[in-house]
Amino acid sequence: MKESRGSPPRLLAQAFRRLFPGPLGAEACEDLERAYLKVGSTRGRWVAGLWYAGHLLLPSTWRLAFELRRQTRDSWWDSLGLDLRFAIRTLRRSPGFSTVAILTLGLGIGGATALFSVIEGVLLRPLPYSEPDRLVQLWQLDEQANRSVFSNPNFVDVRERSRSFESMMAYGSLVSPVSLRGQVSRVEVTAVSDGFFEVLGAQPALGRGFLPDEFATQAPVIVVDQAFWRTELSGNPDLSEEPLRIGDRVYSIIGVMPPGVEFPVGSRAWVPRDPQPTGTRTGHNWRVIGRLRPGVSVDAARVEIGGIAAELKQQFGDDTWMVDALPVPLQEQLVGWVRPALMILLSAAGFLLVVACANVVNLLLARAASRRAEIAIRQAVGAGRGRLARQFLTEALVLSFVGKRS
Amino acid sequence: MSLGDLQHMSMLAVARLGKEAYGAAIRDELMEVADRKVTVPTVYVTLVRLEEQGLVRSSEAAAAGARGGRPRRVFRLTPEGWKALEGARAAMSRMWEGVVGP
């Protein structure tokens, strides 16, 4: 420990100054140093040094450190309030500067926030289904690797032979005239195969789902979505009262899906259909999604259903165009195409924000130069660098906050 | 409000010192008059807590030569502090009544 003659060890003195913040802390440090000198003058420097260092082990030292810190924290909050009021007064005194800075920041922050909200909703928020990472859309691939939807028999064969999927279902949507209580409206109705509820991992919130024989017989039953139930059926829990007509068929409403379950996007109602294993393999009628078994990767499923597609091609020759099959994660399938455009827009908005910030920084710098006299006075009456920095930071934060609100 | 022994002594020191009641002087008073061995941090902890309880109030006093011209914090008793001191003295007097020596 280095020490100059007549003063306590420098490192220890610094430690005490760090321990005891504020003016009262400084006074306590000075008292300790004076006491050190007194001990040193009667009992020697080494004893005084040990006496001085021993204070670090005293509980009262740490109690004082705690109390002073608590006081400093309280006064920090008090002076933050002062800074805030001062910042608001200062900004109101120069409305031209404030308006330009607030509008510039508002534009930058608003653009970035709006775009990020879109990206958060579209790309980042997971699909509203149970374990959506396990959902994939399946495509038939022909020799030119063109994607197409499935034919009835190809879907049935792939589903039967595949082991990578916990469940798989086919669906097809059509906007149909739906008549209810004499009112006709155009509603997107989706015909779904069995496995619909299992793949989505969702069951009707009210009523029931489709029974196995209702698929085979294509029974006139229908499940509607939450919004349809609330608006068209007035949220009536007694579903049996409301028969619904699509074309010339009358359907019984048997269930209402939970809020947020809308598959495919835009679909308001679902009816059961059974994809027959017979029929042409070159007709493409069904979109297909599947739920992977836990632990099975998309790549592993790709290998397996690719092999099944090759087997079917070998088996049926020119009767099928499918030579391969492709699983695509559902999230990517739904929003993947829009990702590059959104990322470019986000970059542009980020750049706009940076430009806005740079402009406001320039404005603040120009203004700080014109406030030299004020800064000098504040320094003269005791404001340290940290205190001044905090005041300017508070002003910048007030500007940003108002800019964000605007 | 009941006072701890050190609080009681410190407040009496503040009362005795008047306009000179700053940290170092209070400690000297405790050590020399009351014959109490107290460390510097203990004195300041006591003063901080007394101030929090509203029994003393501190303010910056005019610059003193001993601190290189920097102001120092001088303590004085508040009306509540005087009341607490009076209460402590009265309680002590009552307890002494009827006590006879060995």
Side-chain angles (χ1 to χ4, degrees):
Chain A
M1 263 180 286
K2 211 175 158 185
E3 63 186 290
S4 61
R5 199 173 181 79
S7 57
R10 194 161 52 91
L11 283 177
L12 280 173
Q14 279 176 352
F16 282 116
R17 285 186 190 283
R18 280 188 180 277
L19 267 178
F20 301 153
L24 198 62
E27 217 171 308
C29 289
E30 285 170 25
D31 287 359
L32 260 180
E33 286 167 21
R34 263 200 303 278
Y36 163 85
L37 292 178
K38 207 168 164 188
V39 174
S41 66
T42 55
R43 298 164 69 183
R45 251 173 35 191
W46 279 103
V47 175
L50 286 172
W51 174 90
Y52 190 69
H55 277 77
L56 277 177
L57 304 174
L58 294 177
S60 55
T61 297
W62 296 96
R63 269 203 302 274
L64 180 61
F66 173 76
E67 294 289 351
L68 291 174
R69 254 156 235 285
R70 201 156 53 92
Q71 263 191 353
T72 313
R73 210 163 41 233
D74 292 348
S75 72
W76 193 90
W77 281 109
D78 291 345
S79 57
L80 181 67
L82 282 178
D83 275 356
L84 271 176
R85 283 195 292 277
F86 183 72
I88 292 167
R89 271 206 313 273
T90 314
L91 293 176
R92 283 171 69 174
R93 263 207 310 270
S94 41
F97 159 81
S98 306
T99 311
V100 172
I102 288 167
L103 284 179
T104 312
L105 277 176
L107 193 69
I109 296 173
T113 310
L115 249 150
F116 187 78
S117 304
V118 173
I119 285 174
E120 198 271 335
V122 174
L123 297 183
L124 302 180
R125 194 178 296 168
L127 296 173
Y129 311 117
S130 160
E131 298 182 74
D133 293 348
R134 287 166 55 200
L135 294 177
V136 292
Q137 179 112 35
L138 282 86
W139 296 98
Q140 292 192 170
L141 296 179
D142 65 15
E143 280 174 346
Q144 283 78 43
N146 294 319
R147 294 179 187 186
S148 63
V149 296
F150 273 75
S151 64
N152 283 1
N154 280 350
F155 162 67
V156 172
D157 287 339
V158 168
R159 181 163 72 168
E160 269 179 16
R161 298 183 192 189
S162 166
R163 294 291 167 269
S164 299
F165 292 88
E166 196 172 84
S167 49
M168 197 185 284
M169 70 106 167
Y171 63 95
S173 300
L174 198 64
V175 176
S176 311
V178 170
S179 166
L180 183 74
R181 300 173 189 160
Q183 296 275 328
V184 180
S185 53
R186 293 178 66 76
V187 172
E188 187 167 328
V189 179
T190 301
V192 296
S193 73
D194 60 318
F196 171 68
F197 299 107
E198 291 78 5
V199 170
L200 293 187
Q203 290 293 327
L206 181 68
R208 64 171 176 87
F210 304 124
L211 302 173
D213 63 324
E214 286 172 340
F215 289 100
T217 58
Q218 301 193 357
V221 289
I222 190 165
V223 171
V224 297
D225 83 338
Q226 189 81 198
F228 186 94
W229 176 63
R230 288 197 183 283
T231 54
E232 309 296 330
L233 302 172
S234 316
N236 183 4
D238 188 0
L239 301 175
S240 62
E241 287 180 7
E242 307 279 358
L244 181 147
R245 181 182 289 275
I246 301 176
D248 54 358
R249 286 191 87 185
V250 176
Y251 288 78
S252 302
I253 300 170
I254 57 164
V256 179
M257 290 302 272
V261 175
E262 181 189 346
F263 188 87
V265 176
S267 189
R268 313 275 314 267
W270 297 269
V271 294
R273 285 290 179 274
D274 185 24
Q276 299 295 319
T278 54
T280 171
R281 286 181 184 271
T282 51
H284 301 288
N285 309 314
W286 296 96
R287 290 180 177 275
V288 175
I289 61 168
R291 175 174 287 275
L292 291 167
R293 284 188 194 284
V296 176
S297 68
V298 176
D299 289 340
R302 164 105 175 80
V303 171
E304 192 209 32
I305 61 169
I308 296 170
E311 279 174 24
L312 292 173
K313 179 68 183 168
Q314 204 171 18
Q315 191 176 345
F316 297 105
D318 288 344
D319 287 347
T320 178
W321 296 333
M322 178 172 73
V323 296
D324 196 0
L326 178 71
V328 180
L330 193 59
Q331 177 109 24
E332 191 182 321
Q333 177 68 49
L334 294 176
V335 297
W337 60 277
V338 82
R339 185 188 301 267
L342 281 179
M343 285 304 166
I344 289 169
L345 279 173
L346 183 67
S347 308
F351 188 68
L352 182 69
L353 182 60
V354 170
V355 170
C357 289
N359 280 333
V360 173
V361 165
N362 275 333
L363 285 170
L364 284 169
L365 276 175
R367 193 154 160 272
S370 69
R371 286 170 68 184
R372 274 192 187 147
E374 176 201 325
I375 296 167
I377 292 169
R378 286 178 70 102
Q379 274 180 321
V381 296
R385 280 184 180 185
R387 189 72 187 71
L388 284 173
R390 210 184 74 188
Q391 182 210 320
F392 282 99
L393 193 65
T394 310
E395 282 182 31
L397 282 175
V398 168
L399 266 182
S400 312
F401 183 74
V402 180
K404 179 177 158 280
R405 301 289 296 178
S406 68
Chain B
M1 184 180 294
S2 66
L3 296 172
D5 185 38
L6 190 58
Q7 285 184 318
H8 193 171
M9 292 288 178
S10 303
M11 286 171 69
L12 283 172
V14 169
R16 285 167 59 87
L17 287 164
K19 287 180 180 170
E20 290 297 310
Y22 54 92
I26 294 168
R27 179 167 173 260
D28 289 346
E29 196 79 353
L30 288 171
M31 290 177 62
E32 287 162 16
V33 181
D35 199 20
R36 296 286 299 262
K37 297 270 181 287
V38 283
T39 63
V40 172
T42 302
V43 173
Y44 281 93
V45 169
T46 309
L47 291 171
V48 167
R49 289 186 179 165
L50 284 173
E51 190 165 21
E52 269 182 11
Q53 290 168 10
L55 300 176
V56 299
R57 189 175 298 149
S58 70
S59 56
E60 279 188 353
R67 291 198 75 219
R70 288 190 298 280
R72 63 191 171 191
R73 198 147 277 272
V74 171
F75 294 83
R76 65 177 192 282
L77 292 176
T78 61
E80 291 78 18
W82 280 113
K83 211 170 138 189
L85 263 187
E86 296 288 353
R89 183 166 69 174
M92 199 62 83
S93 301
R94 285 196 300 275
M95 290 304 287
W96 271 106
E97 270 174 30
V99 175
V100 289

